Amino acid sequence: PGAQVVLSRQYGSEGRFTFTSHTPGEHQICLHSNSTRMALFAGGKLRVHLDIQVGEHTNNYPEIAANDKLTELQLRARQLLDQVEQIQKEQNYQRYREERFRMTSESTNQRVLWWSIAQTIILILTGIWQMRHLKSFFEAKKLV
């Protein structure tokens, strides 16, 4: 499948964003500067700081507890549920990767089989050609 843009934003000198992916797989972060190349070559600096966090630990649990008025026990239960959900997502992602790896392995094995068959046919045809060529060569020299 082609690339799908999950989030596209413009920021000033600083910016912050979060997003939740609902599909497993590789995600790419593309950054573009609107400053000209001459400004960069003339001594201007472009500094990028990425702080990437994934999983349930990105949730701000004290803030969630304050907003939802949760007790300590309810907060711990919510953290555990988030961890279980994260484990389940990781397992689904590993299943997805295993399936792709298996498909790649089967495809590679099939190609190797066909390449071996093609090599065998070429070898047999070359042997037949050589025997005929040598036979006609010896007949021409009247050795046979």
Side-chain angles (χ1 to χ4, degrees), residues 19-142:
F19 79 93
T20 303
S21 170
H22 299 290
T23 57
E26 197 173 285
H27 291 79
Q28 295 179 348
I29 299 174
C30 302
L31 303 172
H32 300 279
S33 171
N34 61 359
S35 62
T36 63
R37 290 178 184 242
M38 291 301 174
L40 290 175
F41 285 127
K45 290 184 180 177
L46 179 65
R47 181 178 297 178
V48 176
H49 173 76
L50 291 176
D51 182 11
I52 300 174
Q53 296 177 342
V54 292
E56 84 286 343
H57 60 273
T58 60
N59 294 338
N60 187 351
Y61 286 105
E63 185 180 312
I64 291 172
N67 288 346
D68 295 347
K69 297 181 176 56
L70 300 177
T71 66
E72 185 69 24
L73 184 61
Q74 289 172 324
L75 184 62
R76 293 286 175 222
R78 186 156 183 178
Q79 284 178 313
L80 287 173
L81 285 173
D82 287 346
Q83 287 176 345
V84 167
E85 186 180 346
Q86 185 65 28
I87 290 169
Q88 190 176 18
K89 285 179 182 177
E90 184 67 26
Q91 286 177 332
N92 289 340
Y93 177 62
Q94 291 302 330
R95 275 193 211 103
Y96 168 78
R97 284 190 52 178
E98 188 274 333
E99 181 183 349
R100 282 188 54 200
F101 179 73
R102 185 173 38 80
M103 288 170 54
T104 302
S105 296
E106 288 174 2
S107 171
T108 303
N109 287 340
Q110 196 170 18
R111 289 178 183 177
V112 167
L113 173 69
W114 285 113
W115 178 244
S116 299
I117 290 171
Q119 281 183 322
T120 304
I121 291 171
I122 290 171
L123 191 63
I124 290 170
L125 291 175
T126 304
I128 292 170
W129 177 79
Q130 283 181 338
M131 288 191 320
R132 285 187 169 183
H133 183 70
L134 282 173
K135 183 179 177 189
S136 65
F137 172 76
F138 286 130
E139 285 175 351
K141 295 288 184 183
K142 298 190 191 301

